[in-house]
Amino acid sequence: MGLSIGVFGNIGKIGDEMVCLPAYYVLKCLYPNSHLTLISNSNNAKNLFTNLEFIDDIISFDTYKDSRGGYNREFDILLVINHNSINTLKIAKTILAKRRIATFSQTLMLKNGIFFVSKIERFINPYWRQSHMEIQRYINLVREIDHKIFDKNYHFIDFNQIRLKTSKIHKDYIDKVLQNIKYKKYDKIIGICPFSQTSMRKDMNFNLNEWLKIVNILSNKFQNYLFLILSYPKANNFDCQKNNVFVFKNNNDLLNLVEITSRLDLLLSSDTGNVHIADNLKIPTLEIISKKTYNQWRGGWYGGYCKAIPLPYKWNKNKYKDKYLDKFISEAILILNKL
C-alpha cells in the first residue's frame, strides 16, 4: 500500500493554488502508489484541478471532520503550506498524521519569536538560490519526505505533463464566445488582464485608466489583432467599445478562463493568478510585478516566454512613474511585432 499524503493550509487564491501544482505532480511521480488529498476551504483548487489524474481527492476542511469534531483519516505525511500562519500550524497539529512537514518561517521568528513548533518538522528553504521561490519552496517541501528518493528521481520528471485540462463543456463555451465576436477575421488573439486585488491593494498595478490607455494604443496600432480583456463577476466594469476589443467576463468557472487563455497568442497582465495559468499553458506573457516579489511570484517557471517588468517601492509616487507605463507599452509593441 502506498503512502497517504495530505496537503493543508493553502489560502486558496488562484495564484497560490497554481504555484503548488508542480509540487503535487512531483509527489505523484516520486510516490506513484500514494493517495494524494488536498484539504482546502476554497473552491478554486477543486475547480482548477478537477480533471488532473494525479490528484486523488480535493476536500474541504469542514467535510474532513466527523460528527464528533475529529478527523476521518490519518495521513502518513501531512505537508503544511502556509508556514507563516500560527493558526494554520495549530490546526495542522490536530490533523492525524505520522509526520507533519512545513517550511521554517522567518516571519514567525522575527515577529513572534517562534523558533520551534512542536509536532511539526520544519526545514530551512534556500530562498537565496531560487529564481521562482514559491514554486521551488513547495517542491522542496516534497523533498523533505525523503531526500534520497527525491535526489535520485527528480531530474527524470517531465513537467510538460501537468497542463491544466478543461472539458468539452468549456471548449464549447469558449468556441461560442469567440464565434460571436467573429475571431477568425483577426490574425492573433491578445489577452489583457488588468485586474488583481493583491497588487492593486499594494499599489503595484496600473490603474484602470492606464490600462485603458494601453488597450487603446495597442488596439489602434494592431487593428488586425483581437484584444480580449479578461474579467470576472466581481471585477470593476471595464468598458472599451472598439471593433477589435472585447471584454470577456467569465462566470465562476475557472476552467473557462483556462480554456480561453489556451487560445491566446499573448497575455498582457498585472501580477495575478492569470499569469500562472498562462505559464502552465506556455502562453507568452508580459507582466508587471513588484520588484520585492519578482523572484517569488513571477511567471516563466515552465520554460515558456515570460517578460516581467519589476516595479520598485513607491514607483507611482515619484516623478518617473510614467516611464513604467511607457516601458510596458514599448515592450508589448516589440513582442506584438514579432508574433
Side-chain angles (χ1 to χ4, degrees), residues 218-237:
L218 298 181
S219 61
N220 286 334
K221 187 173 181 62
F222 299 91
Q223 294 186 25
N224 57 327
Y225 289 178
L226 173 63
F227 290 83
L228 288 178
I229 299 169
L230 306 179
S231 186
Y232 58 98
K234 293 183 179 180
N236 294 323
N237 290 328

Side-chain angles (χ1 to χ4, degrees), residues 2-232:
L3 292 172
S4 175
I5 302 175
V7 179
F8 171 74
N10 199 323
I11 64 174
K13 294 182 179 180
I14 296 173
D16 295 275
E17 296 289 0
M18 286 300 302
V19 295
C20 289
L21 189 58
Y24 302 155
Y25 185 67
V26 171
L27 277 169
K28 209 63 174 183
C29 289
L30 298 183
Y31 306 98
N33 297 319
S34 64
H35 189 94
L36 176 59
T37 301
L38 309 187
I39 306 172
S40 173
N41 278 338
S42 165
N43 291 326
N44 287 342
K46 196 170 187 68
N47 193 178
L48 282 168
F49 305 150
T50 186
N51 297 319
L52 298 180
E53 297 86 356
F54 56 89
I55 299 175
D56 299 294
D57 282 325
I58 304 175
I59 60 176
S60 72
F61 183 71
D62 290 336
T63 59
Y64 184 55
K65 295 180 181 179
D66 62 28
S67 59
R68 296 170 296 174
Y71 302 106
N72 289 316
R73 77 182 74 162
E74 179 179 5
F75 296 105
D76 294 301
I77 306 290
L78 182 70
L79 301 182
V80 185
I81 298 297
N82 191 354
H83 63 303
N84 289 324
S85 167
I86 296 175
N87 187 54
T88 297
L89 294 174
K90 286 180 178 179
I91 296 173
K93 289 196 289 185
T94 69
I95 296 176
L96 297 176
K98 295 175 183 175
R99 295 176 65 192
R100 304 176 189 87
I101 307 173
T103 315
F104 180 84
S105 172
Q106 187 180 44
T107 299
L108 292 183
M109 178 186 70
L110 296 176
K111 290 186 176 181
N112 304 90
I114 296 176
F115 291 86
F116 175 76
V117 178
S118 64
K119 300 182 181 180
I120 295 180
E121 303 172 30
R122 297 198 298 166
F123 72 100
I124 297 176
N125 182 63
Y127 294 108
W128 54 92
R129 295 205 307 261
Q130 297 173 346
S131 60
H132 292 79
M133 296 187 299
E134 285 299 302
I135 290 176
Q136 290 166 303
R137 176 171 73 85
Y138 299 132
I139 291 175
N140 277 344
L141 197 61
V142 177
R143 183 176 184 267
E144 288 303 301
I145 297 174
D146 190 312
H147 288 196
K148 290 183 179 179
I149 290 176
F150 183 97
D151 294 343
K152 181 180 179 180
N153 298 289
Y154 177 75
H155 63 283
F156 292 116
I157 296 175
D158 179 11
F159 287 100
N160 289 315
Q161 303 303 313
I162 56 172
R163 298 291 175 264
L164 294 172
K165 296 180 181 179
T166 62
S167 69
K168 186 177 184 301
I169 294 174
H170 305 100
K171 296 179 192 303
D172 290 346
Y173 180 81
I174 297 304
D175 281 342
K176 186 176 180 180
V177 168
L178 293 176
Q179 287 165 6
N180 286 342
I181 55 177
K182 299 179 174 58
Y183 77 102
K184 288 187 177 180
K185 69 180 183 179
Y186 299 100
D187 296 333
K188 303 289 182 181
I189 303 177
I190 312 303
I192 296 181
C193 181
F195 305 108
S196 172
Q197 294 178 357
T198 300
S199 60
M200 190 69 81
R201 188 176 68 248
K202 295 182 178 180
D203 291 329
M204 286 295 165
N205 193 4
F206 301 135
N207 62 44
L208 291 183
N209 286 332
E210 289 166 332
W211 277 108
L212 187 60
K213 179 180 178 180
I214 292 169
V215 172
N216 284 328
I217 290 174
L218 298 181
S219 61
N220 286 334
K221 187 173 181 62
F222 299 91
Q223 294 186 25
N224 57 327
Y225 289 178
L226 173 63
F227 290 83
L228 288 178
I229 299 169
L230 306 179
S231 186
Y232 58 98

